[in-house]
Amino acid sequence: MDDLRQKYLDAIAGAGDEAAIEDVRVQALGKKGEISLKMRELGQMSAEERQAMGPKLNALKDEITSALSARKASLADAALEERLAAEWLDVTLPGRPRPRGTIHPVSQVTEEITAIFADMGFAVAEGPQIESDWYNFDALNIPPEHPARQEHDTFFMARAAGDNRPPHVLRTHTSPVQIRAMQGTGAPIRVIAPGRVYRCDYDQTHTPMFHQVEGLAIDRDISMANLKWVLEEFCRAFFEVEGVELRFRASHFPFTEPSAEVDIRCSWEGGTLKIGEGNDWMEILGSGMVHPKVLAAGGIDPDEWQGFAFGMGIDRLAMLKYGIPDLRAFFDSDLRWLRHYGFSALDMPTLHGGLSR
């Protein structure tokens, strides 16, 4: 019995892995294992022999079982120690930096514009991007023969067969939001309407979808002088130049009368745009006093109220301020472009509670 015990204890001690331990277990305690066979022989012994051999065999079985478990645990601990030594990690090191997302220039400039006009008391108004023919054209005093109402300039939505109503359109400007704001709020009112607009155009300075912001202020004694002051204050704040000079040129827009296109003094010396200096002028927006028919369409009495409106392209303002050469890059560039022109989300608070540069 002692020889048998020593034989398997030595075999267990010499087992180098779990497979070897399992082989020893089968040899000793398997169905045909040496110790298992001896325990079966107890049935053939006399009572006195069983009383003498039974406890010894049970003790041997328990000892071998314990030795197998201990050796298996020892090998597992050794394997873990080896793995820890090979995969050592300094947990005091700082984490690996992950690339952060950036704010698109259009979103950044929209936030800047919104914050500047908010300081002047303008609220933000929004409206649907799919508009009725009336809101997009008729309410804005745009006649049926106007080029904007032709298929080559506007995206028209299909009507079902037999439906002869004027088709809906993808809005060509955010001016319909002004009508909806006047209808919903009445006068006095002071709002801006930033958002996406759509036109059938595509080149270096035009895309089928772009972003526009329009402003509207209605009160009893508003004049072009108020419009001029608001636009000058906006340009000073947006371009971060104190010496801004604007030039108003007479123009024509169906929804304003009188109407004016607004130019800003600038310089292109050395191919670099500088606002507020030089002898060049650059058009940046359209404006004017709201046409009486537009006021009436918005539910406001033009005999008691008057106001101004203006509109400018957000994408173009972003190009001018941040030196982006091609408008199409806003929509078809890859992440490298966005990493170059994008803005960190962690620089300063914005109107919407986020953070931007």
Side-chain angles (χ1 to χ4, degrees):
M1 189 72 69
D2 290 339
D3 292 341
L4 186 63
R5 172 179 174 276
Q6 194 60 48
K7 169 186 174 182
Y8 285 110
L9 289 179
D10 291 343
I12 292 171
D17 53 39
E18 289 193 14
I21 291 177
E22 180 63 14
D23 288 342
V24 175
R25 187 195 68 79
V26 171
Q27 292 172 20
L29 303 175
K31 287 184 178 182
K32 297 182 179 181
E34 194 170 358
I35 296 175
S36 299
L37 292 174
K38 287 190 174 294
M39 294 192 73
R40 290 178 192 171
E41 293 175 358
L42 290 174
Q44 301 173 3
M45 295 180 182
S46 64
E48 292 78 8
E49 290 175 330
R50 283 198 301 274
Q51 189 173 7
M53 291 297 295
K56 293 181 180 180
L57 286 172
N58 282 328
L60 178 60
K61 177 182 177 182
D62 291 343
E63 185 177 3
I64 297 303
T65 300
S66 298
L68 288 168
S69 298
R71 181 57 178 166
K72 188 173 183 180
S74 175
L75 289 175
D77 290 343
L80 179 59
E81 290 293 335
E82 183 179 354
R83 182 180 173 189
L84 289 174
E87 299 178 5
W88 180 83
L89 176 67
D90 185 355
V91 295
T92 65
L93 290 173
R96 294 184 179 90
R98 294 185 178 182
R100 288 175 178 165
T102 55
I103 297 175
H104 194 282
V106 169
S107 299
Q108 169 68 19
V109 169
T110 301
E111 290 281 358
E112 292 178 20
I113 293 170
T114 302
I116 293 169
F117 281 110
D119 287 341
M120 291 189 278
F122 285 78
V124 174
E126 297 179 326
Q129 296 181 41
I130 298 177
E131 273 291 7
S132 69
D133 185 77
W134 188 84
Y135 274 107
N136 199 75
F137 297 122
D138 295 328
L140 296 165
N141 196 37
I142 299 177
E145 67 275 8
H146 194 281
R149 302 187 77 154
Q150 307 305 311
E151 290 187 0
H152 61 76
D153 196 59
T154 299
F155 293 102
F156 290 89
M157 311 297 288
R159 286 284 191 192
D163 188 343
N164 297 320
R165 292 176 299 166
H168 279 41
V169 300
L170 293 179
R171 66 183 184 190
T172 57
H173 41 199
T174 58
S175 301
V177 180
Q178 297 184 31
I179 301 296
R180 293 179 180 275
M182 286 189 282
Q183 290 176 334
T185 304
I189 185 173
R190 202 181 304 182
V191 296
I192 59 169
R196 295 185 182 92
V197 297
Y198 306 85
R199 296 180 190 174
C200 297
D201 212 349
Y202 189 71
D203 57 33
Q204 187 173 359
T205 57
H206 300 84
T207 54
M209 186 277 287
F210 58 103
H211 300 81
Q212 189 179 65
V213 58
E214 298 193 11
L216 172 71
I218 304 293
D219 214 318
R220 295 190 184 277
D221 56 0
I222 282 183
S223 68
M224 288 286 286
N226 302 121
L227 169 64
K228 184 174 183 292
W229 179 85
V230 166
L231 295 179
E232 286 177 344
E233 288 299 305
F234 167 74
C235 290
R236 286 192 187 98
F238 181 76
F239 290 110
E240 301 176 20
V241 173
E242 188 61 32
V244 165
E245 185 178 350
L246 299 182
R247 179 177 70 180
F248 286 68
R249 289 182 290 107
S251 186
H252 170 73
F253 303 113
F255 28 80
T256 52
E257 181 60 38
S259 302
E261 292 183 357
V262 181
D263 305 330
I264 190 169
R265 182 181 289 278
C266 64
S267 166
W268 290 98
E269 184 178 349
T272 301
L273 174 65
K274 295 182 179 180
I275 299 295
E277 58 183 73
N279 297 315
D280 295 324
W281 295 91
M282 177 176 58
E283 178 191 341
I284 57 170
L285 59 92
S287 65
M289 298 298 291
V290 181
H291 197 287
K293 290 184 178 180
V294 175
L295 290 173
I300 293 177
D301 186 350
D303 293 328
E304 294 188 23
W305 304 91
Q306 62 188 37
F308 63 75
F310 58 85
M312 51 189 137
I314 296 175
D315 315 79
R316 187 158 182 267
L317 288 175
M319 293 172 67
L320 295 176
K321 183 172 182 177
Y322 296 111
I324 301 170
D326 193 327
L327 180 62
R328 293 169 293 188
F330 282 120
F331 310 105
D332 58 12
S333 294
D334 58 19
L335 288 175
R336 291 169 297 178
W337 180 91
L338 191 54
R339 291 191 187 105
H340 178 75
Y341 286 110
F343 291 80
S344 169
L346 301 174
D347 286 339
M348 64 176 281
T350 69
L351 205 67
H352 294 163
L355 294 164
S356 64
R357 180 176 304 171

